[in-house]
Amino acid sequence: MSLIRALSIELEARSDDSLRALFAARPDLISPMAPDFPALAARASARVSVQRALERLNKPEMQVLETLHLSTNTDTGHSVSAAGLKKAIAGSTLSALEPILGKLQDLALIHRADPPASLHGTAGPRQRFYLPVASLKDVIGIYPAGLGRSYTELVRLQPAFAQRVVQLVAELQQSGADIHPASTPMDAALSLQRWTSTPESVRAILATAPERTQGLLDKFGGWAMGAVPQAQRRASVTHESADVGPVDWLLARGLLVPLDAGHVELPHSVGLALRGGAIVDNFTLLPPAPELGHTSAALRRNAALGAIAETLRLANELLFAVREQPLATLRSGGVGVRELRRLAESIRCGVHETAILLELCALSGLLRLDVDSSTWVQPPSLEWLSLPRQEQWLWMVNAWLASERAPSLVGQPLTGGTAAPHQGAAGTTINALSAEAQRPDAPVVRRRILEILHELTVEAAAPDGKAPVLDARAVLQRAEWAQPRMSRRFSSLVRGILEEATLLGLMGSGAFTQLGSAIADGQPEQAMAILGEHLPAAVNHILLQADLTAVAPGYLAPELSETLLLMADAEGQGPASIYRFSAASIRRALDAGQDAESLLAFLREHSATEVPQPLAYLVQDTASRHGRLRISSSASFIQSDDESAITELLQEARTSVLSLLRLAPTVLASSASPRETARVLRELGLSPAVQEAEPAVVRFKRTTAVPGSARPVYSAPRTAPPDDDVEAQLSILRQHRGVPADGTGEASTQLGLETLQKAIRLKQAVTMNVVDSLGNSNTETVVPVSVSGGRVRVFDPEKDTERVLSIHRIIDVEPVGDRHK
């Protein structure tokens, strides 16, 4: 029976609670709603859906599933039971395997099947046999359980090996090996397979191997393919020297098979024998326990609070620097290295740290891209600036958790190159705020890493209150056990996520903090309460000194820091910063609209000491010389020989949007662009001539004010569909119980592809009902050769020809002699 049909029957027999659990674990099955059980079974067997389901399995579950895949044959219906899997999984027990098989069945990755023909009548009534879904082979890949392909597959798929394998077997015979002779490549492959079929025979072969051979083979313990220089060299048993290396020795005996010039593969039978005949030789239900150091709770808390305070301070300084000079973008997108270095110098921070902070500010909505000027600017009326510091922190954490960007990727090579961060040639590294730092899976990976950090912290907590120190190695070790199919995604992001978590205070002194645990538990209000209790209040005063400097005795309040940065230049790093006053810095404040009295009043209000006389003189003297010459800007001007027309324009209320200023009796200046000015004048019934191509015309781009962005509220990535959708799906399925196993068009298409692929593997003829271009159906018997790109290539034995058919023209397909099964 078709695997999809068998799964459809099993799904229809399930209870509603069982189906609810299936939809919660695999929500893609009901998006959109499945019309009937055959369609649901087809979706559950689809490659993409199976791949998503496998990403959520832990290591022992994957080991059981891969062993079941290697122990069954879906083409012949050869199934396997828990007892059969126990023989292939060293260290397993029936009590451990049966719950895992039950979970895999609940996930619709395997289904019940009849016992193999060899066990009919001998299998116990309670013994359950299983088969996997048809697409599992494609999803798992060519190396299930890390074992290589068989010699017969390698002969069929590797032409270079097929040409040499007969000679290789002949050389082994001449050297005295107990191997059957062979005259064809397939016979030679079978001879090698029998020669290496047991652990005892492989041990006997390796008894005369050179030194380091076993060490080399141990490197293939988890994966069948390895990199070897000059892998296709012609090693021979009959011409071996005394100092032959382990690679040549193994190649000469066929224990390693060359794939190309630089890679070899350990065949399936050899790998199985090296594992003692078991497919899995490292089975365990418990995750590995990493060896961890510990740090005190006080040190962890102080490090986290210091990191949070410093991040918020630097974010305020970064926003001030961007307000003073917006960040220009590259033509290819993102902020270039030169612009990033300028920003790093202005906030007195490292380039890499500045890049991460810039990304955090942008993904939090504290910066936005102005499309008119192609610069990053601060949005007007930004609520974040006026919030208490614990709320500012939660704002950034929520945005970071939900963001599909990976800030720590900035500066890394775009490809597998070796360019150092921010030092490679143009275009070789990822720029800040560029599209290359986008990672759609970042929220899921980030959330899972926080959960792993919480798990490890709880497991390794010391009785004296000390917290375990966690690094990327420990997190990756646990992640590779919890979700081995996602280990590559974890490995590319985990170090950066830990670095970002440290900046945000979720990690402190290398340990996961109470704030991190509260966020991982989905309790942001508790985290904010903890932070509000322990984070020192912002300082609202400074210490003025006679050498024209001011000392900040701690983290300054945002409004104090902003005004102080306007009238003085910051020096040094850390919370206790020094601000130096100069004529240039005072002029900067005067240009912003301040005057001498307001500046001195501000200093008197916020200084814990008297304003020094040199500083007061500097402010007053600079202000007295300020403004003698005035500079303004103009985007366009209006010229007319009619002086009265110019006067009428100034008096017209509808020209107020142009901010007109009279420069001469016949000349007006406008803050609007030439085109905007011309549009307003045309609405008044005038016919102006636009001369914006002249170099003397100054172009000015206005940006429309937008309201401040709303606070980001993080919600964990949804893993289960809404209850209403589940109930609606169950209602549809109840109404269509008893639908024939062919189901709707969705199911019939999958069934047809399954039948074609099985026929190709078995070289079996099928009967097709094909519709031609005129809509006429025709039944014909052919042998399918290959399926790809929506087309199937078939061999017609009656006409002795091959042709290609479009799959959408095939109404029905069944194996020959199986029309009614």
Side-chain angles (χ1 to χ4, degrees), residues 265-549:
E265 182 174 325
L266 190 74
H268 179 90
S269 58
V270 180
L272 199 62
L274 291 174
R275 297 183 183 185
I279 294 176
V280 174
D281 60 350
N282 58 346
F283 182 77
T284 177
L285 296 176
L286 299 177
E291 296 182 4
L292 304 173
H294 286 78
T295 186
S296 66
L299 187 59
R300 177 184 64 172
R301 181 184 65 249
N302 293 340
L305 294 176
I308 292 171
E310 183 71 357
T311 297
L312 296 178
R313 181 186 72 84
L314 289 174
N316 273 288
E317 290 201 14
L318 186 146
L319 294 178
F320 176 82
V322 172
R323 283 199 300 274
E324 290 294 303
Q325 185 175 349
L327 290 174
T329 59
L330 298 171
R331 185 176 301 175
S332 59
V335 175
V337 176
R338 185 176 301 174
E339 193 79 346
L340 191 61
R341 285 175 178 161
R342 177 188 66 77
L343 182 63
E345 290 175 1
S346 66
I347 66 173
R348 307 168 314 285
C349 190
V351 176
H352 181 63
E353 292 77 9
T354 302
I356 295 180
L357 187 65
L358 178 60
E359 285 275 348
L360 288 174
C361 288
L363 62 86
S364 300
L366 310 184
L367 297 174
R368 67 172 177 84
L369 180 63
D370 180 11
V371 294
D372 290 333
S373 60
S374 295
T375 58
W376 285 88
V377 298
Q378 177 190 306
S381 305
L382 183 60
E383 179 190 5
W384 186 85
L385 294 170
S386 59
L387 294 176
R389 287 202 294 171
Q390 61 267 27
E391 294 189 32
Q392 288 182 336
W393 170 82
L394 185 60
W395 177 310
M396 297 186 76
V397 169
N398 281 340
W400 173 71
L401 288 171
S403 174
E404 293 186 352
R405 296 188 61 79
S408 56
L409 291 182
V410 176
Q412 293 187 13
L414 277 170
T415 59
T418 57
H422 309 291
Q423 296 179 356
T428 60
T429 58
I430 297 176
N431 291 315
L433 305 181
S434 65
E436 287 77 16
Q438 198 80 6
R439 286 292 298 267
D441 60 342
V444 175
V445 174
R446 197 176 287 129
R447 178 72 187 183
R448 190 69 188 97
I449 287 177
L450 291 183
E451 291 172 351
I452 290 174
L453 288 169
H454 181 60
E455 292 170 9
L456 292 173
T457 301
V458 172
E459 291 174 8
D464 57 358
K466 290 188 175 182
V469 175
L470 304 170
D471 56 9
R473 178 191 57 80
V475 175
L476 276 176
Q477 188 180 27
R478 176 58 60 89
E480 288 171 355
W481 183 90
Q483 290 177 276
R485 297 279 297 186
M486 290 187 66
S487 59
R488 184 171 296 181
R489 299 189 200 179
F490 284 112
S491 63
S492 63
L493 292 179
V494 62
R495 289 172 178 82
I497 289 176
L498 293 182
E499 182 180 5
E500 295 154 16
T502 300
L503 285 176
L504 293 170
L506 304 179
M507 300 280 292
S509 190
F512 201 49
T513 64
Q514 289 181 311
L515 296 173
S517 295
I519 293 296
D521 280 343
Q523 299 177 350
E525 296 299 329
Q526 178 185 348
M528 195 165 61
I530 295 173
L531 187 59
E533 180 182 352
H534 294 96
L535 188 65
V539 176
N540 204 30
H541 68 275
I542 54 176
L543 303 175
L544 294 176
Q545 302 186 104
D547 60 351
L548 300 180
T549 61

Side-chain angles (χ1 to χ4, degrees), residues 137 150-159 161-162 186 189 763:
K137 179 179 181 180
S150 65
Y151 280 107
T152 53
E153 284 185 277
L154 291 169
V155 163
R156 184 167 53 87
L157 299 174
Q158 296 294 129
F161 179 62
M186 192 56 67
K763 297 180 174 57

